[in-house]
Amino acid sequence: MTTLTLSRRRSAVPRRRSADARRKHIAAYSFLTPFLIVFVAMLVVPLFYAGYLSLFRAQIVGGTTFVGLDNYVRALADPRFLEGVGRMSLFLVVQVPIMLGLALFFALALDSGRVRGGKYARLAIFVPYAVPGVVTTLMWGYLYGRNFGPIAQFFEALGLHAPDLLAPGTILGSIMNIVTWQYIGYNMVIMYSALRAIPQELYEAARIDGAGQFRIAWSIKIPSIRSAIMLTIIFSVIGSFQLFSEPKLLYEIAPNAIGTSFSPNLYAYNLAFTNQDVNYAAAIAFLLGFVIMIVSYVVQLSGNRREKGGAR
Amino acid sequence: MHLTRRTAMLAGVAALSVALAGCAGGSSGGGAETAKGPTQAEVDKAMTTPTTIDFWSWVPDIQNEIALFEKKYPAITVNLQNQGGATAQYQKLRAAIKSGQVPDVAQIEYSFLPSFTITKSVLDLAPYGFGDLKSAYSPSAWGQVTSGDQVWGLPQDLGPTGYLYRSDLFEKAGIEPPATWDDFADAARTFKQSTGAYITDLPGNSFSPILALLWQAGARPFGYDGNKTVTIDLDSPQVTKVVDYWDDLIQQDLIATDPQLDDNWYQSMSRGQYGSWLAAAWGPVFLQGTAANTTGLWRATDMPQLDASKPASGNQGGSADVVMAGSKHAIAAAQFVKFLNSDESSTTQLATQQYLFPSLLATQQNDAFRQQKLEFYGGQTVNDVFVDIAGTVSSDWQWLPFNDYASSSFKETLGAAITDRSALEPALKKWQSQLVAYAKQQGFTVKD
């Protein structure tokens, strides 16, 4: 087959086009080179290096020894790691549907064209995403503040007992709220731009068939942007398991509620920089990567299946 | 979506890889220990040869003291780098040690010094004749920078613990600053009844305060022989006695258990929610800045005692300046450390302008420092109080060579129990067992 095409090509257009094609290849790769260099240097090499490190054990006293997969075995039996993964799974199951549900709702509302000042509303919902994550967390940390935060003061003004939003039992919900607040706008924009790409003819046809706004939303809009929704779900799955900066920053004001292994990423960070156990941290990071891969794959697979089912 | 998180993770990976990049080279670079120091001629030559030394410190405005040094030794340029605080500096310093590109001089808190001497990252300055400076410093500071004959650096500042209290609130409650811990428990009750506020706060987000209390009580929970053996003894009678005492106060709701040095705590301080603070020597000036509306209402005295006839105290914080083992300009670096922490102009300036409590005895006695009157304390000579306290701190306290872990483990165990007001003794046991497990895992022999 290949030879056939090649020979045909050669006979039909001698030289010039192949030179042309080569030039195009060169151009393409030279455009890609800066990315590839950074990608290899900053991602591929450290990845392999971390994989290499995860096979060793370094002790403060006694030096470094090769231990094979011991660190992985240790991690799989490490209650802190498993609890962290469990906590992030809970986070995923509770927070992601709320966040994406609200994002979809806002996207549909804006797309319906019935919202006055839609442009401003869109911007307003998106603004939290433009605020740096660190600032966001510091701000919410202040809002949650035990005695003098606005929320606590509000409750006190009403003569009620203020809930402690930074206590061990409430902190997960408090973080979910921060993340939801921050990322609704981002997801909404993805969905909204997908909605804008739906051909208007479909709506006209639906309207002629007597469909109302809700029916259009349910039967045309949502199915049409399924791939965009899928994208936001996958991003959210990855983001949830990689939760780091929120617990890291809140640790400063509520160390008793967060601890050192709240999320697997925070645990890996503390292992590397507090416990001086870089090798074990690398193993944890790799295992977390596997967990994310598996969960993302399962989510995508179930999404695809549903899509096929819908097509039937 | 979570772009920022991914970026943070990538940054983490990058930092990790930088930190690890020199793993192989690090161990061989650190082992150099000079048995013989430089001669006077070598020192003179080094101090007149144009040299640039790197200095890592987080002391605000320390450039002013560097200027004094550079004026005296025009050939030497000191390149100051502020890594943004102690914790950030240690992390970067560890990465620098692994890569072999270390600064010449670094500021390290006493509590973290063994974590760096164990990796042979700090130069022993005994061959430079620094052992002769012993009598110039507060014994409790000198004890922190030496092990055996080795001198790991010179003490910069010190944090002996005293007692700052609101004289107006104490008057309202009709109590005197308690002389003993027995009096303190009674005072706490009276104070709570008559003002509705807590007499003090015992924080769970830092182990310095409770360690200072243990230090005062004569407990020695930690030890390190400089080699492979650590002592972790958190179940001794002295430790248990102190912890039980505070457990009792917490269960009776007589003291606050809020994290210290955060917004909530500053607010509570300025609103009179706490009647007193078991503050280190850096505390008095610090408090001026955070509770400015209470100017003139505070007074300083020494902490309540176990035995009023034998006053004792403990340190919270304080740091040394050390020469890193990988320094290529060790002579100039050592002379800089010496100038910074023993020259009269430098130490006096650090004490009176940057408000570091001096560990140099001569500066403690210097009237410019000792007789400084602070408006915030109604014109009291607060430094005078703290200089006396510094003399009552015993010098045999030791730290573990893995202070990061000891601290983070505290916050998860005893610290969390303090904040949550749950039973302290099981949490103390948990802290002990976590520390022992970590030490064994890191290859130490554990003694208790």
Side-chain angles (χ1 to χ4, degrees):
Chain A
M1 181 66 189
T2 354
T3 42
L4 194 75
T5 356
L6 275 179
S7 60
R8 201 183 282 165
R9 220 185 243 173
R10 215 169 266 158
S11 59
V13 202
R15 278 184 179 195
R16 264 189 77 204
R17 193 178 286 176
S18 74
D20 201 39
R22 197 182 305 133
R23 209 175 304 132
K24 275 182 186 156
H25 276 302
I26 293 173
Y29 280 109
S30 56
F31 277 122
L32 276 176
T33 313
F35 164 76
L36 284 175
I37 290 174
V38 175
F39 179 74
V40 170
M42 295 297 162
L43 207 76
V44 178
V45 172
L47 205 61
F48 275 95
Y49 188 54
Y52 167 79
L53 282 177
S54 70
L55 303 176
F56 290 84
R57 184 181 63 198
Q59 291 174 298
I60 298 178
V61 176
T64 308
T65 40
F66 180 79
V67 292
L69 295 175
D70 272 13
N71 285 327
Y72 292 91
V73 175
R74 183 179 153 203
L76 288 174
D78 185 343
R80 285 161 172 266
F81 174 64
L82 299 178
E83 275 166 24
V85 172
R87 198 175 285 120
M88 290 309 106
S89 306
L90 180 65
F91 188 92
L92 176 73
V93 172
V94 176
Q95 185 262 342
V96 171
I98 293 174
M99 174 179 67
L100 296 184
L102 285 171
L104 183 62
F105 174 78
F106 287 133
L108 288 171
L110 290 172
D111 186 60
S112 73
R114 299 194 170 184
V115 181
R116 278 201 196 155
K119 260 184 192 168
Y120 299 101
R122 201 167 70 206
L123 189 66
I125 299 170
F126 187 71
V127 155
Y129 180 70
V131 178
V134 172
V135 177
T136 302
T137 311
L138 292 177
M139 186 188 80
W140 278 101
Y142 165 72
L143 292 176
Y144 292 153
R146 282 191 186 85
N147 294 334
F148 304 102
I151 297 173
Q153 281 184 337
F154 175 74
F155 274 90
E156 266 164 36
L158 293 179
L160 296 167
H161 185 68
D164 185 354
L165 297 169
L166 296 169
T170 52
I171 193 87
L172 188 65
S174 301
I175 292 179
M176 284 179 187
N177 178 51
I178 297 176
V179 174
T180 306
W181 180 83
Q182 187 169 19
Y183 289 104
I184 278 185
Y186 179 80
N187 290 300
M188 181 202 72
V189 164
I190 293 181
M191 293 175 187
Y192 179 73
S193 51
L195 283 172
R196 298 311 288 176
I198 300 173
Q200 294 293 318
E201 293 81 30
L202 286 176
Y203 301 153
E204 278 165 28
R207 249 178 249 124
I208 289 167
D209 288 347
Q213 282 288 348
F214 284 101
R215 180 74 201 194
I216 291 177
W218 185 253
S219 301
I220 299 179
K221 291 186 176 178
I222 295 179
S224 310
I225 62 164
R226 177 173 274 142
S227 60
I229 295 175
M230 210 56 220
L231 185 76
T232 59
I233 293 176
I234 295 289
F235 279 166
S236 305
V237 168
I238 297 172
S240 298
F241 278 105
Q242 294 203 343
L243 192 74
F244 175 74
S245 46
E246 288 83 1
K248 171 83 176 101
L249 289 162
L250 290 178
Y251 179 74
E252 303 302 326
I253 53 172
N256 61 314
I258 301 267
T260 55
S261 52
F262 188 83
S263 74
N265 255 354
L266 185 67
Y267 186 39
Y269 173 89
N270 281 319
L271 282 171
F273 294 111
T274 303
N275 297 19
Q276 309 301 320
D277 199 345
V278 168
N279 308 81
Y280 187 43
I284 293 274
F286 259 79
L287 278 180
L288 179 64
F290 282 124
V291 170
I292 293 174
M293 261 163 57
I294 292 165
V295 175
S296 308
Y297 188 67
V298 168
V299 168
Q300 200 153 19
L301 210 63
S302 66
N304 287 346
R305 192 168 299 157
R306 203 166 299 152
E307 205 164 325
K308 266 181 211 153
R312 214 187 303 144
Chain B
M1 55 167 287
H2 301 142
L3 256 184
T4 35
R5 280 190 219 151
R6 285 193 63 199
T7 330
M9 188 52 190
L10 283 181
V13 169
L16 206 64
S17 59
V18 170
L20 305 168
C23 254
S27 51
S28 61
E33 263 183 66
T34 38
K36 198 162 65 73
T39 62
Q40 188 58 43
E42 282 168 337
V43 172
D44 292 342
K45 182 162 177 281
M47 298 314 285
T48 49
T49 313
T51 314
T52 301
I53 55 176
D54 289 326
F55 175 35
W56 287 12
S57 170
W58 61 88
V59 174
D61 299 326
I62 201 161
Q63 193 65 46
N64 299 343
E65 285 73 33
I66 292 174
L68 295 174
F69 174 77
E70 288 177 337
K71 205 173 157 202
K72 189 172 176 192
Y73 300 102
I76 316 288
T77 308
V78 179
N79 178 19
L80 174 69
Q81 282 166 291
N82 186 336
Q83 308 295 344
T87 314
Q89 173 156 321
Y90 300 144
Q91 286 180 1
K92 287 181 183 162
L93 198 55
R94 287 209 177 88
I97 289 165
K98 282 174 181 156
S99 75
Q101 300 289 318
V102 291
D104 298 281
V105 179
Q107 176 184 359
I108 296 178
E109 286 163 291
Y110 302 128
S111 51
F112 280 89
L113 197 48
S115 317
F116 287 95
T117 59
I118 189 171
T119 51
K120 303 207 178 355
S121 310
V122 178
L123 189 70
D124 177 14
L125 295 173
Y128 290 71
F130 281 26
D132 303 342
L133 296 168
K134 179 179 179 178
S135 55
Y137 292 96
S138 263
S140 74
W142 189 257
Q144 308 272 299
V145 298
T146 50
S147 46
D149 292 334
Q150 291 161 313
V151 181
W152 298 117
L154 291 184
Q156 180 184 274
D157 55 310
L158 197 60
T161 306
Y163 191 66
L164 307 178
Y165 65 99
R166 282 280 296 269
S167 56
D168 57 329
L169 297 179
F170 271 47
E171 207 169 296
K172 195 175 155 199
I175 53 172
E176 291 289 310
T180 66
W181 286 113
D182 288 339
D183 296 345
F184 181 83
D186 297 335
R189 191 169 295 112
T190 315
F191 191 84
K192 177 100 191 285
Q193 278 161 4
S194 48
T195 64
Y198 291 110
I199 193 165
T200 195
D201 174 51
L202 182 71
N205 67 335
S206 162
F207 66 0
S208 303
I210 201 144
L211 290 183
L213 292 166
L214 294 176
W215 194 330
Q216 181 200 31
R220 294 294 174 264
F222 306 141
Y224 173 49
D225 73 343
N227 191 19
K228 284 184 182 176
T229 308
V230 290
T231 306
I232 300 166
D233 188 14
L234 287 164
D235 37 24
S236 71
Q238 293 101 318
V239 176
T240 320
K241 197 179 157 197
V242 172
V243 169
D244 285 349
Y245 173 85
W246 287 93
D247 194 18
D248 191 38
L249 290 180
I250 292 171
Q251 295 314 323
Q252 294 184 56
D253 196 25
L254 294 180
I255 57 160
T257 61
D258 304 323
Q260 70 168 4
L261 307 178
D262 67 1
D263 288 337
N264 178 47
W265 187 88
Y266 299 143
Q267 289 275 4
S268 301
M269 273 292 175
S270 60
R271 292 187 183 201
Q273 299 286 314
Y274 314 137
S276 64
W277 178 25
L278 287 157
W282 46 264
V285 172
F286 179 83
L287 192 61
Q288 286 183 333
T290 55
N293 59 323
T294 54
T295 297
L297 302 176
W298 292 84
R299 294 291 180 278
T301 182
D302 57 344
M303 37 189 315
Q305 300 292 331
L306 285 153
D307 179 350
S309 65
K310 280 183 271 177
S313 180
N315 285 338
Q316 296 183 56
S319 26
D321 292 306
V322 307
V323 177
M324 301 304 293
S327 167
K328 291 180 184 69
H329 311 290
I331 297 175
Q335 293 304 313
F336 172 63
V337 167
K338 191 173 170 182
F339 178 90
L340 192 63
N341 300 305
S342 66
D343 180 84
E344 199 196 331
S345 62
S346 169
T347 54
T348 309
Q349 197 168 302
L350 277 171
T352 55
Q353 288 177 21
Q354 275 121 307
Y355 303 108
L356 294 185
F357 186 85
S359 42
L360 195 72
L361 292 170
T363 310
Q364 288 179 8
Q365 300 303 337
N366 188 332
D367 277 351
F369 169 73
R370 193 166 180 159
Q371 301 305 330
Q372 214 168 26
K373 289 195 170 72
L374 293 180
E375 202 50 44
F376 192 76
Y377 300 87
Q380 194 184 2
T381 50
V382 172
N383 291 335
D384 188 43
V385 175
F386 277 90
V387 167
D388 286 339
I389 294 169
T392 67
V393 180
S394 69
S395 61
D396 58 348
W397 178 272
Q398 291 188 329
W399 298 97
L400 291 172
F402 39 85
N403 201 50
D404 295 292
Y405 183 77
S407 157
S408 82
S409 168
F410 166 81
K411 291 182 210 172
E412 277 192 323
T413 53
L414 187 57
I418 290 172
T419 310
D420 299 340
R421 291 179 179 271
S422 55
L424 297 192
E425 219 171 294
L428 180 70
K429 287 209 168 72
K430 204 169 154 204
W431 189 24
Q432 161 90 11
S433 64
Q434 280 196 2
L435 289 179
V436 170
Y438 179 81
K440 284 187 176 155
Q441 190 211 328
Q442 290 296 330
F444 289 98
T445 311
V446 181
K447 232 170 49 176
D448 59 16

